[in-house]
């Protein structure tokens, strides 16, 4: 896993997504596999399904399929660590700056940052709470979601799914432009 710290995990992105989910930074398992939210205890994939964003429980290796639902994944900080508390304040601020540029370029309808502490650190908003934010990036609105890490004991999978579903309801329906299912 030590070599995984140096690997960059590619974003799963496209222009004009319905929701761009943004993790804090890759964990070592994510860096080793190249698949976002890959650690077995992470609840991102189950919560994504329970909230109705995906019609079935997807595995991290299927992450590219998210694009067909108008969903994508990126991170605030690209550097992989065993724990998010290994990141410096400077890394969060620089990550927030780079994320703002990425969002402005890609124009998703919603940016969903999974982790209120990461959002606060990246954007200097010490009073932010889970839910929709006043901040926008161009026409992109921002929603802060609970961190799906298994270490986040404040939220159950069910309560996280309720918050994710609030965002799903607020995000306009996805209409796929190419051949395939229409959402």
């Amino acid at each position: 896993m030590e070599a995984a710290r140096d690997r960059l995990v590619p974003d799963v992105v496209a222009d004009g997504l319905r929701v761009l989910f943004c993790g804090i930074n890759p964990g070592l398992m994510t860096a080793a596999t190249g698949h976002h939210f890959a650690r077995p205890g992470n609840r991102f994939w189950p919560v994504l399904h329970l909230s109705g964003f995906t019609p079935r429980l997807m595995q991290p290796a299927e992450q590219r399929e998210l694009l067909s639902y108008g969903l994508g994944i990126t991170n605030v900080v690209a550097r992989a660590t065993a724990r998010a508390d290994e990141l410096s304040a400077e890394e969060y601020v620089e990550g927030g700056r780079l994320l703002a540029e990425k969002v402005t370029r890609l124009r998703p309808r919603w940016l969903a940052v999974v982790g209120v502490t990461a959002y606060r650190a990246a954007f200097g908003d010490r009073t932010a709470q889970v839910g929709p934010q006043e901040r926008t990036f161009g026409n992109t609105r921002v929603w802060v979601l609970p961190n799906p890490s298994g270490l986040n004991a404040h939220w159950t999978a069910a309560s996280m799914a309720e918050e994710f579903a609030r965002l799903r309801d607020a995000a306009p329906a996805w209409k796929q432009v190419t051949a395939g299912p229409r959402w």
Side-chain angles (χ1 to χ4, degrees):
M1 288 287 192
E2 193 60 38
R5 290 182 191 271
D6 299 327
R7 292 195 191 129
L8 291 180
V9 178
D11 289 341
V12 176
V13 297
D15 288 338
L17 292 170
R18 177 181 180 200
V19 179
L20 177 58
F21 291 96
C22 181
I24 299 168
N25 75 308
L28 298 182
M29 180 73 73
T30 288
T33 64
H35 303 128
H36 293 271
F37 302 103
R39 188 172 183 85
N42 193 292
R43 298 170 290 182
F44 177 80
W45 296 100
V47 167
L48 203 62
H49 172 61
L50 288 170
S51 67
F53 269 113
T54 60
R56 64 179 179 81
L57 175 59
M58 295 172 60
Q59 299 301 310
E62 299 174 296
Q63 65 188 13
R64 302 275 320 153
E65 189 177 322
L66 288 177
L67 296 173
S68 69
Y69 303 116
L71 309 173
I73 307 175
T74 190
N75 287 291
V76 175
V77 176
R79 183 171 73 93
T81 60
R83 295 177 48 107
D85 62 8
E86 296 175 38
L87 299 172
S88 70
E90 293 79 16
E91 285 177 292
Y92 276 111
V93 170
E94 178 63 7
R97 185 187 70 74
L98 294 172
L99 178 59
E101 289 178 2
K102 184 181 303 184
V103 168
T104 300
R105 185 178 72 252
L106 294 173
R107 302 176 327 271
R109 294 178 188 154
W110 285 92
L111 170 66
V113 179
V114 292
V116 69
T117 303
Y119 178 81
R120 290 172 180 165
F123 297 106
D125 186 348
R126 291 183 290 177
T127 62
Q129 298 295 317
V130 167
Q133 307 300 305
E134 292 296 321
R135 177 185 307 275
T136 60
F137 298 102
N139 290 328
T140 300
R141 301 208 41 215
V142 178
W143 197 293
V144 175
L145 293 167
N147 183 346
S149 166
L151 299 175
N152 182 2
H154 299 292
W155 291 79
T156 65
S159 62
M160 272 190 258
E162 288 175 15
E163 188 61 32
F164 274 59
R166 286 183 58 218
L167 169 59
R168 186 207 64 227
D169 291 344
W174 176 251
K175 292 179 179 70
Q176 191 168 337
V177 183
T178 58
R182 293 212 169 285
W183 303 99

